[in-house]
Amino acid sequence: MMKTSYQTLLYYCYSPLANGEEFAAEHLEFCKSLNLVGRIIVADEGLNGTVSGTKESCRIYMNTVHADERFAKIDFKIDDVEEPSFIKMHCRYKSEIVHSGLKDPNVIDPNKETGTYLEPQEFLEMKDEEDVVILDVRSNYEHHLGRFKNAVTLDIENFRDFPSKINELAKFKDKKIVTYCTGGIKCEKASALLLKEGFKDVYQLHGGIIKYGKEAAGKDFDGQCYVFDNRVAVDVNTVNPTVIATCLNCGTKTNKMINCANPECNEHFNQCDACGEQLDGCCSVECQSHPLKRTYDGTGYYVKVPQPVMKA
């Protein structure tokens, strides 16, 4: 087995910050001093981050963050990786740590009311019960790549569309609803909103798919889990793994996800290697002939660079 000297940390924390903007600037400098790379969102409601670096840098980072009483409860999900999962370090101040449109703490406050936590082992024992509905609160491109067997999925492009889908779930009001997402952050607000909308029995998978993979071997999670870093997707299930995603162009099963090589399209989709080669990493023949098409190197991953704007 290859020895890994780097780690990637995934975490979030709903904890009120009085000085969010100032904190973000200072925290960015702190991360850079440890040579970490990653993406952290800071808002008045808390933190949401994925950072990557040497094991020693990650250890110092976790210890320092935990020493701040506002973040003492953070549950870090730790992955050993062969190389850092990002290229740069970003720490930005925004209005929410996950964009939901539910930012008024008088309406939804995960610190006051949210779905009951289920640890991975509890989730495993409960998920197949007859009166339980497993609800995926992630976006289409995420659950197309991987999801729990028999999960209810929603046709949403972004988590901010979740509130508009609540009416579709009304038929499950007399059931136990268990929400899940990548690391748990979306479930805090999704489960809180379900409770506010009159759902009585609401639970959430604590630590999300990532923690479930580590503590319950990912049993019955089909496909791969989408992650928001250079890895794009990670394996979860070591018990009964499958591939469920299909190539947009030919329909064969593939876990590979790319961005369309046409920067004006930039569609995020599944594509097999054969179609990638044939279409130069584009989603269609139209995009393949676009004058701004980026060079496809087989990965379909592009570092963001300013693109010239096409004018009519």
Side-chain angles (χ1 to χ4, degrees), residues 220-236:
D220 293 338
F221 186 84
D222 290 338
Q224 286 187 308
C225 180
Y226 185 91
V227 289
F228 297 85
D229 59 57
N230 292 9
R231 295 171 297 168
V232 183
V234 295
D235 291 324
V236 173

Side-chain angles (χ1 to χ4, degrees), residues 5-12 23-24 27-42 47-65 74-81 83-92 210 227-231:
S5 52
Y6 298 100
Q7 288 181 328
T8 296
L9 312 175
L10 174 70
Y11 71 92
Y12 72 88
F23 177 88
H27 201 66
L28 176 61
E29 291 313 309
F30 168 59
C31 291
K32 284 181 172 176
S33 75
L34 293 174
N35 289 316
L36 291 173
V37 287
R39 188 184 298 122
I40 300 170
I41 298 170
V42 178
L47 299 181
N48 173 16
T50 311
V51 295
S52 196
T54 65
K55 289 183 177 179
E56 178 61 7
S57 289
C58 288
R59 185 187 66 78
I60 296 169
Y61 182 79
M62 288 188 285
N63 288 345
T64 308
V65 171
I74 286 182
D75 180 19
F76 285 99
K77 272 75 76 180
I78 306 167
D79 273 343
D80 290 326
V81 292
E83 58 185 34
S85 302
F86 293 87
I87 293 168
K88 293 181 177 175
M89 185 68 231
H90 296 285
C91 186
R92 296 192 173 104
I210 300 297
V227 289
F228 297 85
D229 59 57
N230 292 9
R231 295 171 297 168

Side-chain angles (χ1 to χ4, degrees), residues 166-196:
I166 290 281
N167 291 344
E168 290 179 20
L169 303 171
K171 58 189 174 199
F172 302 127
K173 275 201 169 172
D174 59 342
K175 305 243 184 204
K176 291 175 183 164
I177 301 260
V178 183
T179 66
Y180 75 86
C181 60
T182 311
I185 185 171
K186 292 175 180 173
C187 291
E188 300 278 11
K189 285 194 174 181
S191 64
L193 185 62
L194 287 165
L195 287 165
K196 185 176 179 292

Side-chain angles (χ1 to χ4, degrees), residues 17-183:
L17 297 180
N19 55 343
E21 208 159 351
E22 190 185 318
F23 177 88
E26 290 169 2
H27 201 66
L28 176 61
E29 291 313 309
F30 168 59
C31 291
K32 284 181 172 176
S33 75
L34 293 174
N35 289 316
L36 291 173
V37 287
R39 188 184 298 122
I40 300 170
I41 298 170
V42 178
D44 297 342
E45 63 184 8
L47 299 181
N48 173 16
T50 311
V51 295
S52 196
T54 65
K55 289 183 177 179
E56 178 61 7
S57 289
C58 288
R59 185 187 66 78
I60 296 169
Y61 182 79
M62 288 188 285
N63 288 345
T64 308
V65 171
H66 272 154
D68 186 326
E69 60 183 23
R70 294 173 296 183
F71 313 128
K73 64 183 181 184
I74 286 182
D75 180 19
F76 285 99
K77 272 75 76 180
I78 306 167
D79 273 343
D80 290 326
V81 292
E82 286 166 27
E83 58 185 34
S85 302
F86 293 87
I87 293 168
K88 293 181 177 175
M89 185 68 231
H90 296 285
C91 186
R92 296 192 173 104
Y93 177 74
K94 295 191 175 182
S95 61
E96 293 179 273
I97 55 176
V98 62
H99 190 14
S100 66
L102 304 168
K103 54 189 172 196
D104 183 351
N106 297 314
V107 178
I108 297 290
D109 184 354
N111 289 306
K112 290 185 180 158
E113 186 176 46
T114 188
T116 305
Y117 281 171
L118 286 179
E119 294 306 321
Q121 213 54 46
E122 296 173 303
F123 176 87
L124 177 62
E125 287 159 19
M126 185 173 157
K127 70 180 182 59
D128 296 324
E129 289 174 13
E130 212 170 295
D131 62 341
V132 169
V133 172
I134 303 296
L135 176 64
D136 192 320
V137 302
R138 301 171 305 150
S139 306
N140 289 337
Y141 63 89
E142 296 174 84
H143 62 68
H144 286 166
L145 182 66
R147 57 188 176 270
F148 281 105
K149 283 187 198 307
N150 306 319
V152 171
T153 57
L154 301 170
D155 181 12
I156 56 177
E157 294 300 317
N158 190 289
F159 184 58
R160 63 175 169 264
D161 300 328
F162 176 77
S164 67
K165 295 289 179 180
I166 290 281
N167 291 344
E168 290 179 20
L169 303 171
K171 58 189 174 199
F172 302 127
K173 275 201 169 172
D174 59 342
K175 305 243 184 204
K176 291 175 183 164
I177 301 260
V178 183
T179 66
Y180 75 86
C181 60
T182 311

